[in-house]
């Protein structure tokens, strides 16, 4: 019989080890050589089964999930920095954002790692092992690695911010004498800080790999937690359904947020296709617990990806060569501009289909995953729960309202943005209305799903 993939195994610990490769490299202000968000997604997958066995590891995993949002915000801020700012404004913004993101990372990651290692030590007391608890009179290996992690986090945050502090030195000349400007040596200071971070990072990575390798080889521990998981956790089917609904709807909400049209000189800063792809991922996560609505939603979102990519590429190709005024002076350029407008309008069809499919998806979640786990078999009870579900389904109509606002404002922006600059803000406002509507409906829906599986 094939072993359930959800049971903790060496594969999950390999994923944890793999995720560490994304964290040990130095960060230059807010630029990561390899985006940490990929590492956090791998880490979340690796810790998923262990989190079911201890509340500290579950809390740690939740904190690591916050870092996905932090790193996505960091990537978005890069687009803002290098797309909308210039000169001294950009340098000052880099200092501010470096400090803010470093502080936020410390606030989230220090308790995340503390609770992770605390949970592992507690599991070491519950199950036989040779890798988690130290010998008599010695520190537990998990405690040693935890201290190394705290040191590395502090060094990485400090070395990220310190070179940018040189921006505070004056660049002006006073009384005929030029004040020293440390910012002239910003490249050298970033290189030195990066070297220090890399040294500490390599030491930390080696210690972490050695710790997780010992854990992977600890067959007594792995067999014990696998037996516990199979006997106690797997029978709790509601736990897995609730987790899938939470993760899937969170991805849908993030996708709706990325559909907001932020533009710079005619270019869409974040392609809508990314938002639809996130929504597709959300539907895939919920797929085992839903039926026909998932197929409809995937088809609609896949079509929206294709249409939005076609519109995005036409925008890029046109605005790289021409401007709006060129279309007014040249008939051939005008035809190209009309193609851009038509493709943009056609892409709204994909958006409309996604909104319709999303409402259908949410209605199926209401039908299958709200109400009581065990309902009293009586007409009165069935009628009460039917009324409750019908009321929830009516609230999903707000998706149509938000979608209609976004659709109308997007059409207005597409047609008249070049003549009326304010239409760009109208388009952003429409996308924001839709995103907030999705958040509102999803919040009410997940409250009912949570009630079903936690009471």
């Amino acid at each position: 019989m094939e072993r359930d993939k959800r049971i903790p195994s060496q594969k999950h610990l390999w994923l944890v080890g793999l995720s560490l490769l994304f964290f040990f490299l130095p960060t230059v202000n807010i630029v990561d050589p390899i985006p940490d968000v990929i590492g956090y997604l791998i880490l979340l997958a690796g810790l998923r089964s262990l989190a079911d066995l201890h509340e500290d590891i579950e809390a740690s995993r939740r904190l690591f999930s916050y870092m996905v949002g932090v790193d996505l915000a960091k990537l978005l801020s890069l687009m803002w920095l290098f797309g909308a700012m210039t000169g001294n404004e950009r340098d000052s913004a880099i200092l501010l954002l470096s400090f803010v993101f470093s502080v936020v990372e410390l606030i989230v990651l220090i308790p995340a790692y503390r609770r992770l290692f605390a949970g592992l030590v507690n599991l070491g007391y519950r199950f036989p092992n040779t890798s988690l608890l130290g010998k008599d009179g010695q520190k537990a290996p998990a405690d040693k690695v935890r201290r190394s992690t705290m040191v590395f986090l502090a060094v990485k945050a400090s070395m990220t911010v310190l070179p940018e502090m040189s921006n505070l030195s004056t660049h002006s000349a006073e009384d005929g004498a030029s004040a020293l400007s440390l910012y002239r040596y910003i490249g050298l200071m970033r290189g030195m800080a990066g070297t220090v971070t890399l040294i500490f990072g390599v030491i930390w990575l080696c210690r972490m790999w050695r710790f997780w390798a010992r854990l992977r080889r600890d067959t007594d521990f792995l067999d014990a937690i696998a037996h516990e998981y199979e006997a106690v956790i797997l029978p709790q089917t509601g736990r897995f359904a609730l987790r899938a609904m939470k993760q899937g709807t969170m991805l849908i909400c993030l996708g709706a947020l990325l559909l907001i049209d932020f533009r710079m000189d005619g270019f869409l800063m974040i392609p809508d296709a990314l938002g639809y792809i996130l929504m597709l991922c959300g539907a895939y996560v919920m797929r085992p617990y839903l039926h026909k609505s998932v197929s409809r939603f995937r088809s609609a979102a896949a079509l929206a990806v294709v249409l939005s990519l076609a519109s995005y590429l036409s925008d890029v190709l046109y605005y790289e060569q021409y401007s709006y005024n060129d279309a007014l002076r040249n008939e051939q350029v005008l035809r190209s501009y009309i193609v851009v407008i038509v493709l943009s309008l056609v892409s709204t069809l994909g958006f409309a289909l996604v909104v319709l499919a999303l409402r259908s998806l949410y209605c199926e979640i209401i039908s299958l995953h709200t109400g009581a786990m065990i309902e009293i078999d009586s007409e009165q009870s069935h009628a009460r729960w039917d009324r409750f579900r019908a009321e929830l389904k009516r609230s999903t109509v707000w998706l149509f309202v938000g979608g209609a606002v976004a659709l109308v404002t997007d059409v207005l922006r597409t047609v008249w943005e070049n003549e009326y600059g304010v239409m760009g803000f109208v388009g952003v406002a429409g996308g924001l209305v839709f995103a907030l509507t999705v958040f509102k409906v999803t919040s009410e829906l997940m409250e009912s799903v949570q009630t079903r599986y936690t009471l």
Side-chain angles (χ1 to χ4, degrees):
M1 184 178 178
E2 187 178 355
R3 186 175 185 177
D4 195 304
K5 294 180 180 179
R6 293 171 293 186
I7 296 175
S9 64
Q10 287 186 336
K11 179 191 72 174
H12 295 96
L13 301 182
W14 272 110
L15 288 176
V16 174
L18 177 62
S19 71
L20 302 176
L21 283 172
F22 294 85
F23 306 142
F24 82 100
L25 293 173
T27 301
V28 180
N29 48 70
I30 60 172
V31 179
D32 285 321
I34 305 176
D36 287 352
V37 64
I38 301 173
Y40 288 120
L41 291 173
I42 297 173
L43 181 60
L44 292 175
L47 293 177
R48 181 172 56 188
S49 297
L50 287 174
D52 291 326
L53 293 169
H54 199 279
E55 60 183 11
D56 276 337
I57 302 179
E58 183 178 8
S60 170
R61 187 174 182 271
R62 189 182 309 115
L63 288 169
F64 284 125
S65 71
Y66 297 160
M67 287 304 301
V68 173
V70 172
D71 261 69
L72 287 176
K74 190 184 292 187
L75 292 174
L76 291 176
S77 67
L78 278 175
M79 298 181 185
W80 173 62
L81 275 177
F82 296 101
M85 305 195 75
T86 57
N88 291 333
E89 289 182 352
R90 180 188 294 168
D91 296 334
S92 299
I94 287 175
L95 169 59
L96 175 63
L97 291 175
S98 299
F99 177 77
V100 169
F101 280 116
S102 294
V103 170
V104 170
E105 287 177 359
L106 288 177
I107 290 173
V108 177
L109 288 178
I110 287 177
Y113 280 110
R114 282 185 184 277
R115 299 203 70 169
L116 172 61
F117 292 118
L120 289 172
V121 169
N122 283 319
L123 289 180
Y125 284 114
R126 286 174 53 191
F127 303 105
N129 69 91
T130 58
S131 58
L132 292 172
L133 302 180
K135 298 178 182 178
D136 293 339
Q138 295 183 353
K139 283 280 188 181
D143 288 333
K144 295 178 182 178
V145 179
R146 177 180 56 79
R147 288 200 304 271
S148 298
T149 302
M150 297 302 112
V151 171
F152 171 64
L153 291 177
V155 169
K156 185 175 182 179
S158 301
M159 293 298 105
T160 299
V161 176
L162 284 177
E164 309 308 322
M165 298 288 286
S166 62
N167 186 55
L168 298 177
S169 62
T170 181
H171 296 262
S172 62
E174 297 179 0
D175 298 328
S178 179
L180 175 64
S181 175
L182 295 177
Y183 196 75
R184 294 167 54 190
Y185 309 102
I186 184 67
L188 175 63
M189 289 188 287
R190 285 172 177 167
M192 294 172 62
T195 302
V196 173
T197 303
L198 186 61
I199 293 171
F200 278 85
V202 170
I203 295 172
W204 171 77
L205 181 65
C206 292
R207 290 182 177 179
M208 287 286 279
W209 269 356
R210 186 164 62 244
F211 171 77
W212 289 100
R214 288 180 60 184
L215 199 57
R216 285 197 305 271
R217 294 192 297 267
D218 195 342
T219 55
D220 291 339
F221 177 72
L222 290 177
D223 290 342
I225 63 174
H227 176 73
E228 175 80 3
Y229 199 92
E230 194 169 7
V232 177
I233 304 299
L234 284 183
Q236 303 174 24
T237 54
R239 173 194 292 263
F240 300 103
L242 177 60
R243 176 185 295 165
M245 295 301 112
K246 282 183 175 180
Q247 293 174 348
T249 54
M250 180 188 71
L251 289 170
I252 287 173
C253 288
L254 287 175
L257 192 62
L258 292 184
L259 293 181
I260 300 175
D261 282 353
F262 292 107
R263 291 178 177 267
M264 186 65 60
D265 297 327
F267 287 101
L268 189 62
M269 296 181 66
I270 306 173
D272 289 346
L274 292 179
Y276 294 128
I277 289 171
L278 276 180
M279 290 182 164
L280 271 172
C281 293
Y284 179 81
V285 169
M286 296 186 287
R287 178 177 51 87
Y289 304 97
L290 297 173
H291 303 311
K292 294 181 179 179
S293 65
V294 173
S295 298
R296 290 194 293 267
F297 186 81
R298 286 191 298 180
S299 300
L303 177 62
V305 169
V306 173
L307 294 178
S308 63
L309 278 177
S311 175
Y312 178 73
L313 290 175
S314 69
D315 269 3
V316 171
L317 292 174
Y318 179 84
Y319 285 106
E320 277 186 346
Q321 303 177 60
Y322 313 111
S323 67
Y324 171 70
N325 291 329
D326 293 331
L328 301 178
R329 294 190 293 263
N330 186 297
E331 186 176 348
Q332 185 177 356
V333 176
L334 177 61
R335 284 197 292 269
S336 299
Y337 181 71
I338 291 173
V339 171
V340 172
I341 296 297
V342 169
L343 286 175
S344 182
L345 293 174
V346 170
S347 69
T348 60
L349 173 63
F351 172 77
L353 292 175
V354 166
V355 174
L356 291 171
L358 180 59
R359 201 255 174 173
S360 175
L361 184 78
Y362 276 14
C363 285
E364 187 170 22
I365 293 175
I366 291 169
S367 298
L368 299 178
H369 298 285
T370 61
M373 284 285 287
I374 302 176
E375 297 183 7
I376 301 173
D377 190 13
S378 68
E379 290 186 8
Q380 184 178 3
S381 176
H382 290 319
R384 184 174 68 251
W385 286 118
D386 287 343
R387 288 194 300 271
F388 171 76
R389 294 187 179 103
E391 185 177 347
L392 271 180
K393 289 179 180 179
R394 282 195 296 272
S395 70
T396 61
V397 173
W398 282 105
L399 293 173
F400 292 159
V401 177
V405 171
L407 195 65
V408 171
T409 54
D410 192 52
V411 171
L412 292 174
R413 179 204 57 75
T414 300
V415 177
W416 284 306
E417 181 180 18
N418 289 300
E419 294 186 18
Y420 305 100
V422 71
M423 286 301 169
F425 295 102
V426 171
V428 172
L432 185 60
V433 167
F434 176 68
L436 292 176
T437 303
V438 173
F439 292 163
K440 172 185 178 296
V441 174
T442 302
S443 175
E444 293 175 355
L445 170 63
M446 287 310 301
E447 186 177 348
S448 298
V449 175
Q450 179 97 15
T451 301
R452 173 185 174 89
Y453 291 116
T454 55
L455 291 182

